[in-house]
Amino acid sequence: MTSTTGVLLGRLMRNITRSPDTIITVAITPIMMLLLFVYVFGGAIETGSSSYVNYLLPGILLITIASGVAYTSLRLFNDVKGGLMARFLTMPIKRSAILWAHVLTSLVSNSIAVAVVILAALLMGFRSNAGILEWLAVAGILGLFMLAVTWVAIIPGLTASSMEGATAYSYPLIFLPFVSSAFVPTETMPTAVRIFADNQPVTSIVNSIRVLLYDETVGNDIWVALAWCIAIMVFAYFIAVNVFKRQAR
Amino acid sequence: MKKIAIGVEGLKKSFKTNRVLVDVDFDVQNGEIFALLGSNGSGKTTIVNILSTLMKPDGGKIEVCSFDVLLQPDQVRQNISLTGQFSAIDGILTGRENLIMIAKLRRISNPAQTADKLLAKFSLADAANRRAEKYSGGMKRRLDIAMSLIGSPAVIFLDEPTTGLDPESRLEVWRTIKELAGGGATILLTTQHLEEAEQLADRIAILHDGKIITTGTLTELKKMFPPAKVEFVEKQPTLEEIFLAIIRKKEEL
Ligand SMILES: Nc1ncnc2c1ncn2[C@@H]1O[C@H](COP(=O)(O)OP(=O)(O)O)[C@@H](O)[C@H]1O
Ligand SMILES: [Mg+2]
């Protein structure tokens, strides 16, 4: 690719393939969680689902993405602090390409991490009777979620004054699935927690992926999930672009 | 015919209550190496940021290659390149890849050839295929400057090009900058050291308390300096002593 975005994307992807630990780190924690929950806690958790790894996988994939986008913040932060951002901004190139290269890099690297986690789940007994259309729909929802949280990740990447600050936001993001239907059905939770769990984005996203993967009855979840993803994406996009415009004059 | 490459008139910039640039005026001629000399925190980087379209001025008429930095930033960017205070290189990429990346972004027709030429010119050919993060400080700086030359920009900004380098690397970078002279480009460099300005620049402007307190060639400026003191060795006056002497001279007039 010779377009500006292509050149910048190529550079960032090269950064990732030369330090593959970033993808491995992103994939390893969710895989450990899968192992822990399936083989240690799984017997004690009643989900009404035939296989706990099946039940768990959608939430684990969201955790994978949430921890993956922290690296997007980090890469952007390093560009700003290291001066490469200033170099790019003073060159006669399309400015939007600078951010989009980071966004596309996030989509590619997170997709790889998600694929690795799904492979690991298959080895642990994950099975789905979803057809190609359902899988495409799952990919679409995961892609939309990636885009949404990536644009969220751009904001601290641009504004943080320290490396820790650039990634701190990702901890609550990773924590959110724990207070959702990702690990246990929300019916088992105390009322206050349950109200929160039922109405936060992760629950609807996890539920709709389950619907698609395991042939469960289709409810409202998919529309709620789409609405959440799009709302977060649009909101974060406008803030990020505004911050960028202000920083880049 | 001499034409003005950089024109700064009445430049003002404050950060909240911190009035960094009070009223800055200076011109840089085409093809000239111009040094902006000032102590740490005097506002050199702020001036470079404003000239290179990274930051908006609060006031003043500022032109680069006859384009207004506020109104025509795109045209300004077509004509400049910035070598910031810290080496802006991708450490994971090799030196060669860094150069090729910039050449592609600037849409040069043969990026690889351009990169190899620059690597040879900046004595980086042996290290071409090593990751840039493994380079010494001087090599990083040379790569950084080489990246700024791609596309032959008319105006090159070098913000404190030797700060943080050991004496040997500093000499290397000086040699590099001297070689750029006569290449046709206009160079504005900033420095905290009189010696560096003396080594590299055709003309020097001294920035102090938000204003340019004097501009001229070294010989012109030296007339205003306090005499070198004779101690055990002859010691050049410090920047602070120069400021004081110049301000005192001006008050006498
Ligand atoms: N982005 C900024 N926000 C707030 N203050 C700034 C900013 N950039 C520079 N300053 C302040 O402006 C003054 C001049 O800084 P600078 O231009 O970096 O000086 P120099 O490059 O000569 O060392 C300093 O007091 C610095 O703290
Ligand atoms: Mg500075």
Side-chain angles (χ1 to χ4, degrees):
Chain A
M1 268 198 279
T2 54
S3 72
T4 301
T5 314
V7 174
L8 294 173
L9 172 66
R11 169 215 154 212
L12 289 166
M13 286 311 299
R14 222 172 239 174
N15 269 267
I16 291 178
T17 51
R18 288 203 188 150
S19 45
D21 51 299
T22 55
I23 286 189
I24 294 167
T25 317
V26 169
I28 224 105
T29 316
I31 291 174
M32 296 301 275
M33 275 188 194
L34 264 182
L35 285 169
L36 188 70
F37 277 88
V38 171
Y39 296 111
V40 182
F41 307 143
I45 299 174
E46 192 50 62
T47 62
S49 169
S50 53
S51 134
Y52 191 48
V53 66
N54 278 1
Y55 185 84
L56 216 49
L57 186 64
I60 294 287
L61 293 181
L62 297 191
I63 290 180
T64 309
I65 296 167
S67 54
V69 293
Y71 283 91
T72 299
S73 310
L74 199 58
R75 283 189 290 265
L76 198 52
F77 171 77
N78 286 334
D79 278 5
V80 173
K81 276 281 155 310
L84 264 176
M85 180 61 91
R87 185 186 283 284
F88 293 146
L89 287 174
T90 53
M91 285 174 66
I93 58 175
K94 223 173 49 207
R95 327 201 102 207
S96 58
I98 300 170
L99 286 191
W100 274 106
H102 279 276
V103 172
L104 293 177
T105 303
S106 168
L107 290 187
V108 175
S109 60
N110 278 304
S111 300
I112 297 171
V114 161
V116 171
V117 174
I118 291 178
L119 278 179
L122 277 170
L123 294 177
M124 287 179 228
F126 157 67
R127 293 295 176 267
S128 158
N129 47 11
I132 187 90
L133 278 181
E134 281 88 359
W135 271 111
L136 280 178
V138 170
I141 292 177
L142 288 176
L144 213 53
F145 180 72
M146 271 179 215
L147 256 182
V149 287
T150 297
W151 279 109
V152 172
I154 297 282
I155 301 167
L158 285 172
T159 55
S161 49
S162 72
M163 203 143 117
E164 292 73 28
T167 53
Y169 77 94
S170 71
Y171 299 119
L173 207 58
I174 294 168
F175 187 71
L176 222 44
F178 289 96
V179 197
S180 79
S181 63
F183 293 90
V184 292
T186 57
E187 289 84 16
T188 61
M189 299 173 182
T191 318
V193 181
R194 182 181 171 178
I195 291 172
F196 174 78
D198 278 341
N199 293 294
Q200 61 120 322
V202 171
T203 296
S204 63
I205 299 171
V206 162
N207 288 353
S208 28
I209 295 176
R210 284 199 189 119
V211 164
L212 292 161
L213 287 182
Y214 314 123
D215 241 357
E216 290 174 12
T217 42
V218 181
N220 269 336
D221 278 324
I222 229 168
W223 304 113
V224 178
L226 286 179
W228 268 117
C229 286
I230 291 171
I232 294 171
M233 184 172 65
V234 170
F235 189 64
Y237 173 83
F238 278 107
I239 293 180
V241 168
N242 245 305
V243 168
F244 184 60
K245 278 209 180 115
R246 218 160 3 97
Q247 273 190 351
R249 276 201 18 179
Chain B
M1 186 195 80
K2 281 205 169 171
K3 242 187 81 201
I4 288 176
I6 302 172
V8 177
E9 222 183 288
L11 168 58
K12 291 171 192 50
K13 180 75 187 177
S14 305
F15 298 102
K16 302 221 169 79
T17 57
N18 182 6
R19 289 176 74 202
V20 177
L21 305 176
V22 180
D23 188 6
V24 171
D25 297 288
F26 65 90
D27 286 333
V28 182
Q29 312 291 325
N30 256 336
E32 169 174 67
I33 300 193
F34 188 88
L36 205 53
L37 180 63
S39 42
N40 195 16
S42 58
K44 301 182 297 297
T45 299
T46 304
I47 292 180
V48 168
N49 284 344
I50 290 171
L51 288 172
S52 60
T53 76
L54 285 172
M55 213 180 245
K56 278 185 180 157
D58 296 340
K61 186 167 155 50
I62 301 117
E63 290 186 344
V64 175
C65 296
S66 311
F67 295 113
D68 189 302
V69 294
L70 259 186
L71 304 175
Q72 302 162 293
D74 291 334
Q75 285 90 328
V76 171
R77 286 176 204 130
Q78 298 280 356
N79 285 285
I80 62 165
S81 77
L82 169 67
T83 312
Q85 199 164 343
F86 305 99
S87 294
I89 56 180
D90 186 327
I92 305 282
L93 300 188
T94 67
R96 191 162 184 271
E97 287 168 339
N98 268 290
L99 291 164
I100 290 179
M101 168 178 73
I102 300 296
K104 283 184 176 167
L105 289 174
R106 286 197 180 267
R107 300 178 186 277
I108 304 290
S109 52
N110 38 8
Q113 227 176 308
T114 307
D116 290 333
K117 253 190 230 157
L118 283 166
L119 287 164
K121 180 171 171 189
F122 285 77
S123 324
L124 290 168
D126 291 339
N129 296 315
R130 265 196 284 146
R131 284 189 188 189
E133 65 189 357
K134 303 257 161 66
Y135 286 12
S136 70
M139 288 163 80
K140 280 183 185 158
R141 204 58 188 167
R142 266 153 40 215
L143 175 62
D144 197 23
I145 295 173
M147 285 160 79
S148 290
L149 293 186
I150 296 174
S152 311
V155 175
I156 299 171
F157 299 106
L158 299 173
D159 195 5
E160 298 200 21
T162 64
T163 298
L165 297 185
D166 55 72
E168 201 180 327
S169 307
R170 168 172 301 174
L171 289 178
E172 282 171 21
V173 172
W174 278 0
R175 228 174 292 135
T176 303
I177 296 172
K178 282 177 186 164
E179 279 172 23
L180 298 183
T186 306
I187 297 174
L188 185 145
L189 68 89
T190 74
T191 179
Q192 299 185 33
H193 306 287
L194 176 63
E195 193 195 353
E196 182 158 287
E198 187 175 342
Q199 282 284 331
L200 301 174
D202 303 322
R203 278 196 314 140
I204 301 170
I206 299 182
L207 178 65
H208 186 65
D209 279 344
K211 289 182 178 165
I212 301 288
I213 55 173
T214 188
T215 315
T217 61
L218 187 70
T219 1
E220 287 165 359
L221 294 192
K222 277 223 160 137
K223 289 183 195 137
M224 309 178 83
F225 290 176
K229 285 183 212 144
V230 180
E231 292 178 355
F232 290 107
V233 287
E234 192 180 84
K235 193 171 150 286
Q236 291 298 322
T238 66
L239 209 43
E240 208 50 46
E241 289 165 333
I242 293 171
F243 294 153
L244 290 173
I246 290 173
I247 291 165
R248 226 174 282 134
K249 278 229 170 78
K250 287 207 164 159
E251 279 166 359
E252 281 165 16
L253 292 179

